[in-house]
Amino acid sequence: EILGALMSMMIVWMVTGVLTYLACMRLLHPDYDIDATVMLITSACAVLTNILLSLILHQTGHGHSHGAQAREHVSAPLEKPALSNASLRAAFVHTIGDLFQSISVLISALIIFFKPQYKIADPICTFVFSTFVLATTITTLRDILTVLMEG
């Protein structure tokens, strides 16, 4: 479970690193073309997919019933919060990271679609959202490393 969560976080950081590198290359070599229509369609699909996936992953951690059985167990101890499983939480954070990156691409695509001369929006949005993605993974990564160090 923990190794799977660690692998998920490593993938998030590697993908973010590659995206940041490519953004730097676009700033250094601005002679690239962007097809804003394809970028819009792809990023919109990615945003919708990541929203759906994050909703599914978040609800997977919800492990109690609201029916008659729930009333019978009133004196039971409080349950662990949703996403207490490290792998599930890492997958959720991974999906949220992908969602942020997809939103970044969507914002860039919208800017470039309406103002093609502002294609610099693509690397700028990549830098902003990459920072945001890395910040959202710190807590999960800290929890993973704490468990591994205790082991």
Side-chain angles (χ1 to χ4, degrees):
E1 172 185 328
I2 292 299
L3 293 178
L6 179 62
M7 185 63 90
S8 181
M9 290 299 100
M10 287 174 51
I11 290 170
V12 168
W13 281 56
M14 284 189 297
V15 168
T16 302
V18 169
L19 291 173
T20 302
Y21 171 78
L22 293 173
C24 288
M25 289 296 106
R26 286 188 172 192
L27 285 177
L28 294 174
H29 308 286
D31 57 339
Y32 57 90
D33 294 320
I34 295 178
D35 187 346
T37 305
V38 171
M39 196 173 168
L40 268 172
I41 293 168
T42 305
S43 61
C45 290
V47 167
L48 292 174
T49 301
N50 283 309
I51 287 171
L52 179 64
L53 189 56
S54 64
L55 289 172
I56 290 169
L57 285 171
H58 188 67
Q59 290 180 357
T60 302
H62 189 73
H64 65 273
S65 169
H66 292 280
Q69 290 179 340
R71 287 187 286 274
E72 294 173 9
H73 298 292
V74 172
S75 62
L78 293 174
E79 297 179 16
K80 289 184 178 180
L83 300 175
S84 61
N85 177 310
S87 294
L88 186 60
R89 193 170 79 224
F92 178 72
V93 170
H94 188 133
T95 302
I96 295 299
D98 287 347
L99 176 61
F100 287 143
Q101 292 290 8
S102 300
I103 290 170
S104 167
V105 175
L106 183 60
I107 290 169
S108 301
L110 287 168
I111 292 170
I112 295 167
F113 186 79
F114 292 109
K115 298 281 188 179
Q117 65 272 24
Y118 293 149
K119 67 181 181 182
I120 195 168
D122 181 45
I124 290 172
C125 284
T126 300
F127 291 134
V128 170
F129 281 88
S130 291
T131 303
F132 198 57
V133 166
L134 294 178
T136 62
T137 63
I138 294 292
T139 304
T140 303
L141 191 59
R142 186 194 69 217
D143 294 344
I144 291 167
L145 292 175
T146 299
V147 170
L148 288 175
M149 294 305 288
E150 287 174 0

